[in-house]
């Protein structure tokens, strides 16, 4: 049987003036994988998912989701931005932030109602944040803030999830909670793409991996391609991690 | 006229009523839209835009020769927008930073405006006096038509704000995310920015170019301290703005020789100072009190857990120990011992102390919490 | 030219130079708006000082003004530290409040105070020559010359004495601390100089225009050079030029001298902003366009290099997958063809030998991100800029 691709990226190129960020990336993400994007700082990992999501305009290339242009398939895609990208002192509550996940399906002007609220509460429950629903977001710990962001994406009820460094600066409990939810999503047939920093945990957490350093170095199942050779190609120096088979 | 007289006259005197309603509306819309400016970290953009509007007023007068407020404000709007776009252009196309661009445009446009104003003042046909009111504002010159105009603009703002509430909130909090949800962020952004510019221009006649930005910021900054909800913040800011406007105008109208702008700004500043100090959740006073209490509790807890470590080693928890042992422990004072006794965590008899059952439980819990937090 | 005219131009030039020097550091340290705040909030200090001395040129007045300037800095930094509001809001709250107090103090005491609101905003440069410094009945020239001259002298000697420290701490705070220069001392030193200068200049050009004299020359110079010494010299030149030309424009229009000085500063900035050789708007826009074209060409070549299969190299693919408009795709292909980078055979595009070499070089640069390589690449680029 032919593999079904959730996301297909063709010839994607992004550059700021002379500084190349991503060059001619071809990437196909099979449906139902839990994929890590790894690479050194400045490799363009965040830029890659941001340009897939249309936050950054690429100078060339196209993105399709389940065979159709991304613009028409937005509702199938959910996004968890980097935690540091927003002002956490913003006057709003945890529940309010999670509710924002429903705005896309509502469209312009329409207000969220009880259905949306119910969905938001369920998502909060799933990430273990229900007791904190009325809490001002600045009064949450870093891990809790990350879980709120995850809940907001869960509410979108998408097929594909893009997450930008969800494990950055979170406590161990949150890390485990998040990875469990990601694994659940995969079990439900969803596709999850995570920008990831910690190479040690790649084999344990993910089943698919993409090595990126301005160009795509390799992409495929962790078991087959997560090796010293690709790591060295990506990170430049002799890189060795013990790969658990 | 004293302040009391002023307020008693507000209901009977036509002019005073006009002025009061006008400043109330102005304060409300400034507070409301100022909240957006503050949350978008564009506090000082308002300052630049209001200063940049001065040459527009002068040029509008030079071209048309009228002192019709609406014409002059249109000039202000255009030159304020040119200033705002130029700031954006400088930041985008050169390596000059935002602060430099803001300060540069603000002062250069203002200087140019002052050049034109002094030029107009010396012109022979001189029905020119009255343009100075745009420097520091003169609420007394508000006409009923001006007030209607403000009311209509405020009404439109309210409707738009209500319709696009969800979109505004989303954009303010997380613009990138709004984009991925399929919202046209450029449109929402343009909407918010034009409203802020509009509020500034509306306020020029009452508050003046020099201090207009404070009218936007101060009510919003004060309101932020009292609530953690965006809608409450905007309503509070509108109320604070309204009060500053009315009280400020009242004071300035009841004294001779006072421009309205500085008085309104000072009243708003009092709101800010009060909020900074006395807000229950964020205020400095309660923060300090909480800080002191925490430090005291911490000291108490430290002593208690030191005692707990001692008591743990004995079979009998209520076994008495010498107070002297505690001398080795730095956090210990007679005061802490007394506090602990008051809370019935320990008993003190002469120079000996012993832990109560309750104290043992409490200290044990502290110990566990500590482990969990690690 | 009468002697009063010469004196006005002298004072204006001295003010411009005295403002330009601290201005350069404020712009470089991203603190331009602090000067805006200081210039507003010295007003209450000045007014109170004036109540005490009744002399606009008294040293006490300058001291009081400078103190309230420094108070502003401290207050702004304190509010920022409480995290109750964002940084820029803190500035935006403090100075209007202090300025309002100053304006109201003047208004309430209009009869005793020789200051009026116009003087606060615009200064009284035109009258400066009439206030003479007399010692034993000997006329030593206008007082303002002495006041500004003294401030300028102090600023200059501080600049020369601490040039190295200022330079290091402006460009690299971490290194400055490591070398043992306290950034805090330098910070408050600079703030004090800025405050004192503002007070000295205030009398001549008014509150808001001091900001222009500080920021505009420095910002203009920054568009022309990155070298600190050159930047200082250029700022001084721009300042003096605007002071003198501004005076004559004002003379011609019979309008405010300081307003016209600022307008000249604005015009100088506008000209440099548009036409500066490297950082001017026109050259930036032109360069961006070129770069865009070059990056597109590179993208295209890289794509050809990456894909051996013919379907990826078919001319129609450019429109579909690379997602370029037909026009854009066509112009890029033409550019590549003109430079002999590609050959088109039966609608299939292939790289030539030259194209291959060039692309390899480009990949090398992209992967290593090496700045020295981009230089040689740039030379190559110019060869085929069409």
């Amino acid at each position: 049987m032919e593999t079904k691709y959730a996301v297909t990226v063709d010839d994607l190129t992004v550059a700021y003036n002379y500084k190349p960020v991503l060059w001619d990336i071809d990437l196909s993400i099979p449906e139902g994988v839990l994929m890590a994007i790894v690479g050194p700082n400045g490799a363009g990992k965040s830029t890659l998912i941001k340009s897939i999501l249309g936050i950054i305009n690429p100078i060339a290339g196209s993105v399709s989701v389940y065979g159709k242009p991304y613009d028409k398939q937005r509702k199938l895609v959910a996004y968890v931005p980097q935690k540091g990208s927003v002002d956490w002192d913003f006057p709003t509550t945890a529940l309010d932030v999670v509710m924002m996940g429903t705005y896309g399906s509502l469209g312009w002007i329409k207000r969220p109602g009880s259905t949306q609220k119910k969905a938001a509460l369920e998502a909060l429950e799933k990430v273990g944040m229900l007791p904190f629903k009325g809490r001002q977001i600045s009064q949450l710990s870093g891990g809790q803030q990350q879980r709120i962001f995850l809940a907001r994406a869960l509410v979108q009820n998408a097929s594909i999830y893009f997450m930008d460094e969800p494990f950055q600066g979170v406590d161990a409990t949150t890390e485990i909670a998040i990875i469990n939810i990601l694994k659940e999503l995969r079990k439900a047939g969803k596709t999850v793409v995570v920008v990831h920093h910690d190479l040690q945990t790649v084999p344990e957490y993910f089943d698919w991996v993409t090595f990126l350093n301005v160009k795509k170095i390799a992409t495929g199942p962790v078991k087959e391609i997560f090796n010293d050779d690709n790591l060295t190609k990506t990170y430049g120096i002799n890189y060795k991690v013990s790969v658990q088979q | 006229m004293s302040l009391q007289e002023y307020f008693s006259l507000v209901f009977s005197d036509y002019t005073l009523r006009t002025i009061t309603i006008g400043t109330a509306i102005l304060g409300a819309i400034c507070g409301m839209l100022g909240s957006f400016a503050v949350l978008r970290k564009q506090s000082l953009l308002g300052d630049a835009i209001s200063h940049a509007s001065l040459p527009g007023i002068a040029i509008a007068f030079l071209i048309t020769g009228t002192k019709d407020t609406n014409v002059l404000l249109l000039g202000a709007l255009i030159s304020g927008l040119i200033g705002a776009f130029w700031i954006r252009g400088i930041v985008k196309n050169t390596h000059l930073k935002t602060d430099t661009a803001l300060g540069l445009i603000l002062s250069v446009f203002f200087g140019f405006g002052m050049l034109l104003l002094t030029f107009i003042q010396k012109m022979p046909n001189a029905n020119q006096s009255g343009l100075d009111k745009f420097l520091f504002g003169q609420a007394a010159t508000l006409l009923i038509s001006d007030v209607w105009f403000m009311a209509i603009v405020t009404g439109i703002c309210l409707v738009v704000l209500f319709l696009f509430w969800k979109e505004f909130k989303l954009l303010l909090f997380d613009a990138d995310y709004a984009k991925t949800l399929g919202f046209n962020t450029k449109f929402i952004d343009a909407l918010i920015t034009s409203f802020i510019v509009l509020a500034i221009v509306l306020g020029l006649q009452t508050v003046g170019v020099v201090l207009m930005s404070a009218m936007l910021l101060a009510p919003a900054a004060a309101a932020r301290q009292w609530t953690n909800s965006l809608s409450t913040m905007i309503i509070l800011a509108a109320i604070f703005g309204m009060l500053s406007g009315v009280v400020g105008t009242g004071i300035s109208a009841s004294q001779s020789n006072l421009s309205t702008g500085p008085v309104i700004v000072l009243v708003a500043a009092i709101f800010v100072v009060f909020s900074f100090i006395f807000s229950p959740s964020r205020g400095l006073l309660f923060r300090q009190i909480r800080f002191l209490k925490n430090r005291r509790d911490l000291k108490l807890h430290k002593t208690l857990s030191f005692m707990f470590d001692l008591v743990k080693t004995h079979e009998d928890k209520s076994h008495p120990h010498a107070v002297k042992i505690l001398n080795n422990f730095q956090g210990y004072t007679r005061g802490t011992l007394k506090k602990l006794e008051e809370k019935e965590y320990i008993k003190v008899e002469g120079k000996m102390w012993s832990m109560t059952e309750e104290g043992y439980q409490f200290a044990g819990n502290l110990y566990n919490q500590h482990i969990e937090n690690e | 030219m009468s002697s009063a005219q010469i004196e006005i131009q002298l004072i204006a030039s001295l003010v411009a130079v005295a403002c330009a020097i601290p201005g350069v550091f404020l712009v470089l340290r991203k603190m331009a708006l602090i000067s805006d705040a200081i210039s507003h909030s010295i007003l209450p200090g000045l007014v109170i000082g004036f109540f005490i001395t009744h002399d606009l040129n008294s040293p006490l007045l300058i001291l009081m003004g400078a103190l309230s300037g420094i108070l502003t800095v401290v207050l702004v930094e304190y509010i920022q530290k409480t995290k109750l509001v964002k940084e820029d809001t803190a500035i935006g709250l403090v100075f209007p409040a202090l300025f309002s107090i100053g304006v109201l103090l003047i208004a309430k005491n209009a009869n005793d105070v020789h200051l009026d609101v116009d003087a606060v905003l615009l200064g009284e440069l035109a009258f400066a020559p009439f206030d003479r410094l007399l010692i034993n009945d000997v006329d030593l020239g206008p007082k303002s010359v002495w006041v500004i001259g003294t401030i300028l002298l102090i600023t200059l000697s501080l600049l020369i004495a601490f040039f190295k420290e200022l330079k290091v701490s402006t460009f690299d705070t971490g290194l400055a601390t490591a070398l043992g220069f306290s950034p805090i001392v330098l910070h408050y030193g600079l703030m004090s100089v800025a405050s004192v200068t503002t007070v000295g200049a205030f009398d001549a050009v008014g509150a808001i225009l001091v900001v222009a004299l500080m920021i505009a020359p420095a910002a203009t110079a920054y568009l022309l050079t990155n070298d600190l010494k050159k930047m200082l010299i250029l700022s001084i030149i721009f300042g003096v030029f605007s002071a003198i030309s501004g005076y004559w424009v004002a003379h011609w229009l019979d309008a405010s001298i300081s307003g016209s000085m600022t307008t000249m500063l604005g015009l100088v900035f506008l000209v440099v902003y548009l036409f500066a050789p490297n950082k001017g708007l026109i050259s930036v826009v032109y360069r961006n366009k070129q770069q865009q074209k070059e990056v597109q060409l590179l993208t295209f070549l890289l794509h050809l290099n990456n894909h051996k299969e013919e379907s990826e190299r078919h001319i129609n693919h450019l429109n579909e997958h690379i997602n370029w408009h037909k026009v854009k795709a066509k112009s890029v292909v033409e550019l590549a063809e003109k430079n002999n980078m590609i050959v088109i055979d039966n609608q299939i595009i292939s790289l030539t030998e030259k194209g291959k070499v060039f692309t390899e070089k480009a990949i090398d640069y992209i992967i290593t991100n090496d700045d020295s390589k981009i230089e040689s690449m740039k030379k190559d680029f110019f060869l085929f800029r069409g």
Side-chain angles (χ1 to χ4, degrees):
Chain A
M1 204 184 87
E2 204 179 315
T3 331
K4 197 171 168 192
Y5 290 112
V7 180
T8 317
V9 177
D10 271 314
D11 310 323
L12 190 77
T13 299
V14 179
Y16 302 126
N17 297 330
Y18 258 114
K19 197 159 168 53
V21 187
L22 291 174
W23 284 82
D24 210 44
I25 306 279
D26 287 313
L27 179 65
S28 297
I29 306 171
E31 183 179 31
V33 296
L34 182 45
M35 181 177 99
I37 301 177
V38 296
N41 285 333
K45 302 181 297 276
S46 293
T47 310
L48 176 60
I49 65 172
K50 278 186 183 164
S51 30
I52 291 176
L53 292 162
I55 298 168
I56 292 173
N57 286 332
I59 58 167
S62 59
V63 175
S64 59
V65 171
Y66 285 112
K68 286 185 199 153
Y70 165 69
D71 270 350
K72 302 207 167 96
Q73 303 275 59
R74 273 183 204 277
K75 289 193 178 141
L76 297 179
V77 178
Y79 173 45
V80 179
Q82 263 181 38
K83 191 158 61 67
S85 66
V86 300
D87 169 20
W88 287 97
D89 197 35
F90 192 83
T92 192
T93 59
L95 177 62
D96 252 1
V97 173
V98 178
M99 293 276 270
M100 287 177 187
T102 66
Y103 288 5
S105 60
L106 285 167
W108 287 91
I109 297 178
K110 237 166 112 188
R111 296 291 182 87
S114 56
T115 330
Q116 281 76 23
K117 190 169 175 190
K118 213 179 124 221
L121 289 173
E122 272 168 21
L124 275 170
E125 167 99 75
K126 213 176 263 173
V127 298
M129 288 293 292
L130 198 54
F132 300 93
K133 65 177 178 184
R135 195 66 82 80
Q136 210 281 326
I137 49 173
S138 64
Q139 290 157 6
L140 300 170
S141 72
Q144 290 172 325
Q145 290 172 343
Q146 190 65 58
R147 288 198 227 182
I148 293 297
F149 260 13
L150 181 60
R152 183 175 72 170
L154 291 177
V155 168
Q156 285 181 260
N157 204 8
S159 310
I160 307 162
Y161 292 82
F162 286 94
M163 307 193 183
D164 204 344
E165 310 235 5
F167 303 114
Q168 183 91 323
V170 304
D171 51 292
T173 330
T174 303
E175 180 152 346
I176 293 164
I178 292 177
I179 198 64
N180 284 338
I181 289 169
L182 299 193
K183 284 181 173 165
E184 249 173 60
L185 285 173
R186 181 185 50 190
K187 247 182 227 157
K190 317 267 183 181
T191 311
V192 183
V193 179
V194 178
V195 170
H196 195 56
H197 237 107
D198 182 9
L199 291 171
Q200 303 291 340
T201 54
V202 169
E204 186 189 338
Y205 289 173
F206 300 95
D207 56 7
W208 209 265
V209 65
T210 295
F211 290 96
L212 188 76
N213 191 357
V214 186
K215 298 212 311 167
K216 184 187 76 182
I217 311 290
T219 184
V222 171
K223 281 192 181 143
E224 287 166 27
I225 69 157
F226 193 70
N227 51 38
D228 292 345
D229 184 32
N230 278 327
L231 283 167
T232 307
K233 271 191 206 158
T234 311
Y235 288 84
I237 37 168
N238 268 335
Y239 218 98
K240 289 210 192 299
V241 288
S242 50
V243 180
Q244 300 156 358
Q245 291 297 337
Chain B
M1 183 165 52
S2 80
L3 202 55
Q4 276 165 335
E5 272 176 74
Y6 172 83
F7 281 105
S8 62
L9 276 175
V10 159
F11 297 99
S12 54
D13 187 278
Y14 174 80
T15 320
L16 283 185
R17 200 167 55 211
T18 310
I19 298 172
T20 309
I21 296 174
T23 44
I25 294 176
L26 178 74
I29 191 174
C30 284
M32 224 163 69
L33 297 172
S35 305
F36 290 122
V38 167
L39 291 174
R40 280 161 67 89
K41 298 176 199 102
Q42 287 184 336
S43 300
L44 293 169
L45 186 64
D47 198 31
I49 293 173
S50 65
H51 280 75
S53 64
L54 188 63
I57 294 172
I59 290 172
F61 175 78
L62 281 172
I63 293 173
T64 64
T66 73
K67 277 197 289 180
D68 178 35
T69 315
N70 292 339
V71 173
L72 298 183
L73 289 187
L74 186 68
L77 183 68
I78 293 170
S79 101
L81 284 176
I82 292 175
F85 280 113
W86 200 3
I87 290 170
R88 210 176 254 199
I90 291 174
V91 174
K92 200 178 140 206
N93 294 316
T94 72
H95 60 185
L96 296 179
K97 297 289 177 298
T98 317
D99 65 316
T100 307
L102 284 172
L104 180 85
I105 294 300
L106 175 156
S107 54
V108 165
F109 270 61
F110 187 80
F112 180 50
M114 288 308 281
L115 174 74
L116 293 174
L117 278 194
T118 51
F119 174 68
I120 290 170
Q121 265 166 20
K122 304 231 169 95
M123 275 183 0
N125 65 341
N127 66 341
Q128 71 284 42
S129 62
L131 289 190
D132 321 16
K133 74 179 180 199
F134 288 104
L135 287 177
F136 290 109
Q138 209 49 270
T141 60
L142 280 177
L143 301 175
I144 190 74
S145 59
D146 300 331
V147 174
W148 273 114
F149 185 63
M150 278 187 204
I152 291 167
V153 173
T154 309
I156 296 170
C157 282
L158 274 177
V159 171
V160 173
L161 186 65
F162 188 75
L163 281 179
F164 295 107
W165 174 251
K166 174 180 98 221
E167 287 77 11
F168 280 0
K169 186 158 130 182
L170 186 59
L171 182 84
L172 286 174
F173 178 60
D174 194 344
D176 278 357
Y177 186 69
K179 227 173 180 180
T180 68
L181 291 183
F183 290 104
N184 184 344
T185 48
K186 275 192 186 141
F187 171 71
I188 314 173
D189 188 79
L191 213 56
I192 295 181
T193 309
S194 14
F195 276 154
I196 293 175
V197 176
L198 210 58
I200 291 169
V201 171
L202 280 182
L204 293 182
Q205 194 182 357
T206 316
V207 185
V209 288
V210 181
L211 294 165
M212 190 50 217
S213 66
M215 191 61 204
L216 280 176
L217 300 190
R224 177 66 190 93
Q225 312 312 321
W226 298 96
T227 174
N228 282 324
S229 137
L230 181 62
S231 46
T232 319
M233 172 177 165
I234 289 176
I235 294 167
L236 269 181
I239 294 171
F240 287 160
M242 202 189 286
L243 288 175
S244 321
V246 171
V247 175
T249 311
I251 295 172
S252 113
S254 57
Q255 318 260 327
S256 61
N257 224 347
L258 286 190
S259 295
T260 12
V263 187
I264 293 182
V265 167
L266 274 183
V267 176
I270 291 168
F271 277 111
V272 173
V273 172
F274 185 82
S275 307
F276 277 10
I277 297 175
F278 295 107
S279 137
S281 59
R282 294 162 68 98
L284 296 174
L285 180 67
F286 290 94
R287 197 191 282 184
Q288 189 64 27
I289 291 172
R290 267 197 303 275
F291 173 72
L292 289 178
K293 189 175 172 297
N294 279 347
R295 204 166 60 177
R296 217 174 42 225
D297 284 356
L298 193 69
K299 210 162 152 191
L300 228 57
H301 291 168
K302 261 183 165 169
T303 316
L304 196 64
S305 58
F306 178 77
M307 292 168 155
F308 179 74
D309 286 342
L310 268 178
V311 173
K312 244 186 353 190
T313 54
H314 288 264
E315 289 263 319
D316 176 18
K317 288 167 204 155
S318 55
H319 180 86
H321 300 265
V323 173
K324 218 163 54 184
I325 303 175
L326 296 175
N327 285 347
N328 297 330
F329 182 67
Q330 288 190 335
Y332 158 77
T333 58
R334 295 227 160 254
T336 25
L337 208 61
K338 217 169 183 180
K339 270 264 157 55
L340 286 172
E341 200 185 2
E342 271 169 29
K343 292 194 170 183
E344 296 189 353
Y345 292 151
I346 56 165
K347 274 192 230 142
V348 181
E349 274 169 47
K351 287 188 176 163
M352 303 297 273
W353 60 268
S354 61
M355 204 171 248
T356 63
E357 183 59 36
E358 199 184 334
Y360 189 79
Q361 291 283 341
F362 183 78
N365 278 339
L366 275 181
Y367 191 73
N368 288 337
Q369 268 171 21
H370 191 63
I371 300 271
E372 262 174 36
N373 285 342
E374 285 288 283
Chain C
M1 230 191 296
S2 72
S3 73
Q5 284 180 325
I6 293 172
E7 277 169 3
I8 292 175
Q9 290 176 62
L10 176 68
I11 297 168
S13 305
L14 284 176
V15 169
V17 176
C19 287
I21 294 170
V24 166
F25 292 99
L26 291 173
V27 165
L28 287 176
R29 289 166 161 243
K30 304 181 193 81
M31 295 193 322
L33 287 170
I34 280 285
S35 74
D36 186 27
I38 292 176
S39 74
H40 282 79
S41 48
I42 56 168
L43 190 58
L46 278 182
V47 177
I48 293 167
F50 186 79
F51 285 158
I52 301 170
T53 61
H54 288 271
D55 175 9
L56 269 179
N57 286 320
S58 135
L60 180 73
L61 202 74
I62 294 179
L63 191 72
M64 293 290 288
L67 276 181
S68 65
I70 293 165
L71 177 75
T72 315
V73 178
V74 173
L75 212 56
V76 167
E77 280 167 3
Y78 173 73
I79 294 180
Q80 287 173 354
K81 238 177 246 157
T82 65
K83 301 226 166 91
L84 290 172
V85 287
K86 302 277 166 313
E87 289 174 29
D88 56 339
T89 313
I91 297 180
L93 287 173
V94 170
F95 77 79
L98 289 172
F99 191 63
S100 299
I101 294 174
V103 172
L104 291 182
L105 280 176
I106 293 176
K108 284 311 285 174
N109 301 282
N111 299 332
D112 331 321
V113 190
H114 170 63
L115 280 165
D116 61 22
V117 169
D118 267 4
V120 167
L121 292 175
L122 286 174
E124 290 178 324
L125 199 47
F127 303 126
F130 302 116
D131 194 7
R132 317 293 295 187
L133 181 68
L134 299 173
I135 293 178
N136 299 331
D137 287 333
V138 182
D139 184 355
L140 294 173
K143 268 189 193 167
S144 318
V145 172
W146 289 97
V147 173
I148 300 285
T150 313
I151 293 173
L152 178 59
L153 212 63
I154 296 171
T155 308
L156 272 176
S157 34
L158 284 173
L159 176 71
I160 292 164
F162 296 106
F163 186 77
K164 187 181 71 212
E165 286 81 356
L166 275 167
K167 188 173 173 178
V168 172
S169 81
T170 300
F171 293 105
D172 189 345
T173 331
L175 180 63
T177 320
L179 292 177
F181 314 139
S182 160
I184 295 168
V185 170
L186 281 170
H187 174 73
Y188 281 100
L190 184 61
M191 289 294 122
S192 311
V193 170
S195 296
V196 171
T197 311
T198 308
V199 182
F202 184 91
D203 187 25
V205 296
I208 296 167
L209 307 183
V210 174
V211 186
L213 283 173
M214 288 209 175
I215 301 175
T220 315
Y222 200 18
L223 289 181
L224 293 168
T225 178
N226 281 336
D227 182 293
L228 183 58
K229 267 186 198 151
K230 279 184 196 151
M231 207 175 143
L232 281 164
I233 292 166
L234 279 175
S235 311
I236 290 170
I237 293 172
F238 291 139
V240 172
F241 168 77
S242 309
I244 292 171
S245 59
Y247 170 76
W248 289 105
V249 171
H251 184 72
W252 170 58
L253 287 174
D254 191 18
S256 148
I257 299 172
S258 51
S260 129
M261 279 168 67
T262 321
T263 307
M264 291 313 294
L265 284 171
L267 286 178
V268 171
F269 176 79
L270 180 64
V271 169
V272 173
Y273 172 67
L274 291 177
F275 302 110
N278 276 315
K279 295 160 187 164
L281 185 65
I282 291 170
S283 87
V284 165
V285 168
Y286 176 77
R287 196 172 49 231
N288 280 352
K289 240 195 173 132
Q290 285 301 333
Q291 282 182 356
Q292 210 182 2
K293 217 177 223 170
E294 286 158 8
V295 170
Q296 281 164 0
L297 179 69
L298 254 182
T299 309
F300 171 59
L301 296 176
L302 211 67
H303 177 73
L304 294 178
N305 194 44
N306 264 358
H307 297 281
K308 303 294 166 234
E309 59 277 27
E310 292 203 339
S311 68
E312 286 279 338
R313 291 189 284 126
H314 194 275
I315 202 157
N316 289 341
H317 173 81
L318 280 176
N319 304 128
E320 290 161 22
H321 274 213
I322 297 196
N323 212 10
W324 282 347
H325 296 297
K326 276 217 167 81
V327 187
K328 198 162 152 189
K330 207 172 148 227
S331 76
V332 172
V333 172
E334 269 169 11
L335 183 65
E337 210 180 359
K338 211 164 78 188
N339 287 288
N340 301 324
M341 298 283 195
I342 55 168
V343 284
I344 304 176
D345 185 25
N346 202 14
Q347 299 216 306
I348 306 293
I349 307 170
S350 315
L351 282 178
T352 59
E353 206 45 48
K354 182 183 171 198
K356 260 186 206 140
V357 171
F358 183 77
T359 315
E360 291 299 331
K361 221 166 150 189
I363 296 173
D364 204 28
Y365 156 63
I366 290 156
I367 299 297
T368 55
N369 220 341
D370 189 344
D371 278 345
S372 60
K373 277 182 186 137
I374 197 173
E375 284 312 315
S376 64
M377 277 204 27
K378 264 186 186 165
K379 268 182 211 142
D380 289 342
F381 277 143
F382 284 111
L383 286 177
F384 58 86
R385 255 183 190 167

